[in-house]
Amino acid sequence: MNLTRRILVKASESRWLRDRAPRFGFVRGAAARFMPGEKPEDALAAARLLAENGINLLDLIRTMNLPAEVSVKLTQLGLDLDREFCFANLAKLIERSREAAPAAEKTLWIDMEQSAYVEATLELYARARRAHRNTGVCVQAYLRRTEKDVESLVSMGAAVRLVKGAYSEPAEIAFPKKEDVDENYFRLAQMLLSPEARRAGVRAVMATHDRKLIARITEWAAAQGIAKEQLEFAMLFGIQRAEQLRLAREGYRSGVLISYGSFWFPWFMRRLAERPANVLFLVRNLFSS
C-alpha cells in the first residue's frame, strides 16, 4: 500500500474530518462524481438514466419498477450494538425486498467492512441464507483469509460479490502489494466461475474497475466456454462509465452501485484510496470552486 493510499484510508477513518470536510464546497463537488446526491430522489434520477442504457442498478431504492437490488452494511443495521438486533433488522430488509419484487428473485447484498467484521458478517450471512436464499455477500480479495471463505461460499452455492478491498489492514491480514491483490482477485474469480461453483448455483459478481483485470477474466472465461451472459460485473457510480457501457453493450451483465446519504465522507475517501489518481478530481474542484 503506497503512502497516498494510506493517507486517504486514514482520512476515511477520521471522525474529525468526517464532521468537517463535507462543509467545504470543493469536497462536495468532487464527491458528486461518485455519488449523485444525499437524497433518495438523487439516486433515483441517476438510476433511471442507467436503466435506459441497459445497466442494472444496485441501490437501496426498490421502487419505480427498476431492475434494482439492495446493498447494505451490517454496521448500518446495528452490528456494533447487538448481533441479534442486527440480524432481526437484516431479516426485515430481506423480507421487504422480496415483497417489493414478488415476481423476481431479487438479491439483498451484504457489504463487507473491515477485517474485524468479517467473521460476524459471514456468520450472519450464512444464517440469513438458510432462511432466505435471496441473500448475497461481498468478499475482499486483499484479505489473506478470503480464499478459504470463498471455498465455503462456493460449497453453499452462495451469491458472492468480489471486490479488491479498501480498508487499512496490517500485512499479516491483507496483501500489501497491488500486484498480489490483483493475482488473488483473479484466482478467486476463477474459483467463483469454476464448474463446481456453477453446478452449485453460485452467482458471481466481479466488482472491479480494473480494465486489465476485467480483460483477463473475460478472456479466461471465454477460453473456458463460459457465455458472456453468465458473467456479471459491477462498478461504482461515476467510475469507468465507458467500461460500464461497453460491458453492457457486449452482452455481459453490468451493474452499478449508487450510494446516497449524508454520511458519505468516509465512503468518498475510500473511493479515492482505491485509485489515488482520483485525487486529481478533488484538486480540480478545489481550484474551480
Side-chain angles (χ1 to χ4, degrees):
M1 183 187 294
N2 60 36
L3 179 60
T4 302
R5 187 171 186 270
R6 285 200 299 270
I7 292 172
L8 292 169
V9 172
K10 287 296 183 184
S12 77
E13 298 169 351
S14 169
R15 182 182 295 271
W16 188 90
L17 281 174
R18 185 191 71 200
D19 291 340
R20 290 166 176 79
R23 301 174 188 173
F24 294 98
F26 75 91
V27 177
R28 299 178 72 88
R33 175 179 174 82
F34 307 108
M35 60 181 294
E38 296 185 354
K39 299 178 181 179
E41 293 82 2
D42 300 323
L44 288 170
R48 183 181 286 115
L49 290 174
L50 289 169
E52 289 172 358
N53 285 287
I55 299 178
N56 295 320
L57 171 67
L58 308 179
D59 190 56
L60 294 176
I61 307 302
R62 303 182 302 275
T63 58
M64 295 180 66
N65 214 17
L66 291 171
E69 294 178 331
V70 174
S71 187
V72 297
K73 296 182 185 297
L74 292 185
T75 53
Q76 295 174 320
L77 304 181
L79 181 58
D80 286 328
L81 299 176
D82 181 81
R83 193 170 295 191
E84 289 303 313
F85 173 71
C86 175
F87 182 78
N89 288 331
L90 176 63
K92 289 177 183 177
L93 276 179
I94 296 170
E95 284 296 339
R96 292 180 66 182
S97 178
R98 295 182 66 178
E99 291 169 3
E105 187 73 2
K106 297 295 184 182
T107 297
L108 185 137
W109 291 94
I110 300 173
D111 285 341
M112 190 60 75
E113 303 178 67
Q114 295 98 319
S115 60
Y117 293 105
V118 172
E119 199 66 41
T121 299
L122 292 175
E123 179 186 320
L124 290 177
Y125 167 70
R127 183 177 167 189
R129 192 179 181 281
R130 284 193 291 269
H132 312 277
R133 291 187 62 84
N134 63 317
T135 313
V137 70
C138 176
V139 295
Q140 300 164 321
Y142 76 155
L143 293 180
R144 298 180 185 275
R145 63 167 288 166
T146 302
E147 184 172 352
K148 290 185 177 180
D149 292 334
V150 167
E151 289 177 358
S152 177
L153 291 167
V154 166
S155 69
M156 69 172 72
V160 182
R161 186 169 74 230
L162 178 62
V163 303
K164 287 189 179 183
Y167 292 95
S168 179
E169 304 286 1
E172 61 268 23
I173 292 176
F175 297 105
K177 296 181 180 179
K178 179 183 183 300
E179 55 265 32
D180 293 332
V181 176
D182 290 351
E183 194 59 38
N184 197 45
Y185 191 106
F186 182 66
R187 183 165 53 250
L188 296 173
Q190 290 176 306
M191 293 172 62
L192 291 168
L193 295 169
S194 67
E196 177 190 359
R198 283 178 278 152
R199 284 194 299 269
V202 169
R203 177 184 173 186
V205 181
M206 305 297 123
T208 179
H209 309 103
D210 190 325
R211 288 180 293 179
K212 290 183 180 179
L213 196 51
I214 291 170
R216 191 179 178 190
I217 292 170
T218 55
E219 289 169 7
W220 174 84
Q224 301 298 311
I226 301 173
K228 288 183 177 181
E229 59 269 20
Q230 291 181 286
L231 279 180
E232 185 172 358
F233 294 92
M235 300 185 192
L236 294 168
F237 179 83
I239 303 180
Q240 294 287 10
R241 292 173 179 171
E243 186 72 352
Q244 294 170 10
L245 291 171
R246 182 190 71 81
L247 290 168
R249 288 167 181 164
E250 291 185 9
Y252 297 100
R253 298 173 65 187
S254 182
V256 176
L257 176 63
I258 293 184
S259 300
Y260 72 95
S262 59
F263 196 78
W264 53 264
F265 181 75
W267 178 92
F268 172 54
M269 296 307 292
R270 289 196 298 274
R271 300 295 74 77
L272 295 181
E274 287 174 340
R275 188 170 182 268
N278 286 329
V279 174
L280 289 174
F281 294 114
L282 185 64
V283 174
R284 288 171 188 159
N285 275 274
L286 171 62
F287 288 103
S288 63
S289 60

